[in-house]
Amino acid sequence: MNKKILLALLMLLSVLGSRAQSAPSFQALADSMAQALITHFWGASFPGYPDRYYFNYGSDLSDLSTGNYWPEAHAIDVITDAYLRTGDQRYSALFPLWWQGAPRYNFAHDGQRPWWNPFVDDMEWITLAQIRMFEATGDTTYIHRARQIYDDWIWSTWGPDDEAPWHGGITWKTDVSKSKNACSNGPAAIIAAKLAKLYHRAGFNQGKSQRTYLTEAKAIYAWLRANLFDHETGAVYDNMNSKGHISRATFTYNSGTFIGAAHQLYQLTGDKRYLGDAIRAANYVIQQKSDNFGVPDDAIRGDGGLFHGIFFRYFAPLAKEPSLSQATRDHFRNYLLYCAKVVAQQGVNPRTHLYGGRWRQAPGDHEPVCLTAHLTGCMLIEAACTLQ
């Protein structure tokens, strides 16, 4: 059977099933999974580590390595999700502690630049997390640091425009010769767009203007669209290397940040070309990257454990976009809720509330779980809460 037809049938059965019986309580599951994140991963939760204000890479002290900087951003993002959804100060109380711990455990910490990292995309995830912490709390400390990281260490890797073969683009890694990646350009465009959007609320009164941030967001997005986006299929390719060769590998997180950037720019400008791009990129994931019986592939560890969660983070706001046709909104909503239902019913351990990255097999009670995988489960269920 054609996989597109199979996917449509699976989603239809899911929708019909949810009408025949009460829908799962994604709110309750999101609460338990967020608490599991703190219980099983937050370093200071464990005796003997009172000031380890850092999310461990493995559950229950199974992996204390600190060479993974970027998952920290997504962990505090999930805590931000939980705080925005509930208003529970148990979550917001972690913000200032994480603010101390994340740079302290940054493997590239050099004493002078505690937030700097050679991976530009890692700094971008940290920057996006800080912007969201500001959005949740109004504390300008977070967004002013985010602005500094973007201005000094992210935008500074752009271009130059006349440098062949790239002609612009944000660099992926500072010590790699001019690799321009989707994972460094999509998030950078979102950051610039958000700095423009939040300019006055943040009290910016010096440095770059609001117009400049919007101009930079448009330029980054235009580069990404021109070089790594397939306008016909909606695929977002991985990178342009130092010789100008395009890697046609596709990953869900690159689609997610492309969608997020396009959607942000649509909201700021009203230009429907951005919205059309976002729709095509979303449909590519649904049609081409969800052949695991209607969901993306399993991802149980490593960087890839986070990829699907990032997609769902930026896909969910698009699924609620009022400008979409009703049919497109329903299509997107049904897909996301189907994915969430699979995880809720089969992927999460009902006792530990941990998700191990397998859609249809929950981790055992004492099985170590990778932080990246659990975060994807959390992000998907939090996304479902915004639609339910």
Side-chain angles (χ1 to χ4, degrees):
M1 180 181 292
N2 182 286
K3 68 180 180 181
K4 294 181 182 179
I5 297 175
L6 176 61
L7 173 60
L9 288 172
L10 286 168
M11 291 174 61
L12 177 60
L13 290 171
S14 174
V15 172
L16 292 175
S18 66
R19 290 175 179 171
Q21 58 184 351
S22 60
S25 172
F26 293 126
Q27 300 280 345
L29 182 58
D31 286 339
S32 63
M33 292 180 73
Q35 192 56 50
L37 173 63
I38 298 170
T39 300
H40 296 280
F41 293 95
W42 179 245
S45 294
F46 298 95
Y49 298 90
D51 63 347
R52 190 176 171 89
Y53 303 140
Y54 188 82
F55 290 94
N56 296 327
Y57 199 62
S59 61
D60 301 315
L61 304 180
S62 61
D63 188 339
L64 296 178
S65 60
T66 56
N68 300 278
Y69 188 45
W70 76 295
E72 291 302 302
H74 298 283
I76 203 65
D77 256 343
V78 168
I79 298 300
T80 303
D81 291 335
Y83 177 63
L84 288 170
R85 179 172 48 79
T86 66
D88 191 329
Q89 294 185 356
R90 289 181 304 167
Y91 298 120
S92 60
L94 294 185
F95 293 160
L97 300 179
W98 179 86
W99 181 259
Q100 297 177 47
R104 176 152 51 104
Y105 289 99
N106 173 15
F107 66 87
H109 192 318
D110 63 4
Q112 301 299 315
R113 302 175 297 174
W115 294 98
W116 183 86
N117 195 277
F119 291 90
V120 177
D121 61 321
D122 284 21
M123 291 191 289
E124 290 170 349
W125 303 119
I126 292 288
T127 300
L128 285 167
Q130 292 172 353
I131 291 173
R132 293 195 71 233
M133 290 161 66
F134 163 73
E135 290 178 301
T137 66
D139 187 336
T140 57
T141 301
Y142 302 129
I143 197 166
H144 282 273
R145 174 59 67 189
R147 185 190 197 192
Q148 177 268 311
I149 295 173
Y150 172 81
D151 286 352
D152 295 347
W153 303 331
I154 296 172
W155 175 252
S156 61
T157 72
W158 169 266
D161 293 326
D162 60 356
E163 186 179 38
W166 315 277
H167 299 288
I170 297 289
T171 299
W172 164 61
K173 192 168 184 280
T174 56
D175 57 358
V176 173
S177 178
K178 300 292 183 180
S179 180
K180 311 283 187 169
N181 291 35
C183 70
S184 54
N185 283 273
I190 298 172
I191 292 167
K194 285 205 164 195
L195 290 174
K197 178 182 179 181
L198 298 168
Y199 194 89
H200 296 297
R201 182 183 167 191
F204 295 153
N205 51 29
Q206 295 180 339
K208 291 180 183 178
S209 68
Q210 182 182 35
R211 181 186 296 272
T212 297
Y213 285 119
L214 180 57
T215 298
E216 291 175 359
K218 289 179 178 179
I220 299 167
Y221 179 81
W223 185 92
L224 178 58
R225 186 182 193 276
N227 291 284
L228 299 179
F229 180 58
D230 187 317
H231 300 194
E232 296 298 322
T233 67
V236 179
Y237 299 130
D238 190 60
N239 71 79
M240 177 188 286
N241 71 10
S242 60
K243 296 180 180 179
H245 173 73
I246 303 294
S247 167
R248 292 181 176 266
T250 58
F251 302 101
T252 50
Y253 78 136
N254 288 335
S255 295
T257 57
F258 181 87
I259 290 166
H263 193 206
Q264 286 285 326
L265 285 167
Y266 169 68
Q267 291 180 324
L268 286 170
T269 68
D271 187 338
K272 289 196 173 181
R273 288 176 295 183
Y274 293 120
L275 186 61
D277 289 348
I279 292 169
R280 281 191 291 277
N283 278 323
Y284 176 82
V285 173
I286 295 172
Q287 295 167 5
Q288 302 298 328
K289 303 294 285 184
S290 304
D291 53 3
N292 180 17
F293 295 97
V295 298
D297 58 355
D298 289 351
I300 62 175
R301 64 175 64 88
D303 288 351
L306 262 167
F307 289 177
H308 303 330
I310 293 168
F311 167 75
F312 288 116
R313 174 170 300 289
Y314 293 105
F315 175 66
L318 178 65
K320 297 192 298 178
E321 171 55 49
S323 299
L324 296 181
S325 70
Q326 188 63 52
T328 299
R329 244 193 339 269
D330 287 346
H331 178 54
F332 288 172
R333 179 180 183 275
N334 289 341
Y335 171 73
L336 192 150
L337 292 180
Y338 171 72
C339 291
K341 189 174 180 180
V342 172
V343 163
Q345 294 181 343
Q346 301 180 59
V348 176
N349 183 306
R351 290 169 294 279
T352 65
H353 308 294
L354 292 174
Y355 172 69
R358 298 183 181 92
W359 290 88
R360 295 177 176 84
Q361 181 183 339
D365 290 357
H366 303 291
E367 178 183 345
V369 168
C370 186
L371 174 64
T372 56
H374 183 67
L375 291 175
T376 276
C378 291
M379 286 189 271
L380 172 55
I381 299 303
E382 290 285 357
C385 289
T386 69
L387 299 182
Q388 193 174 49

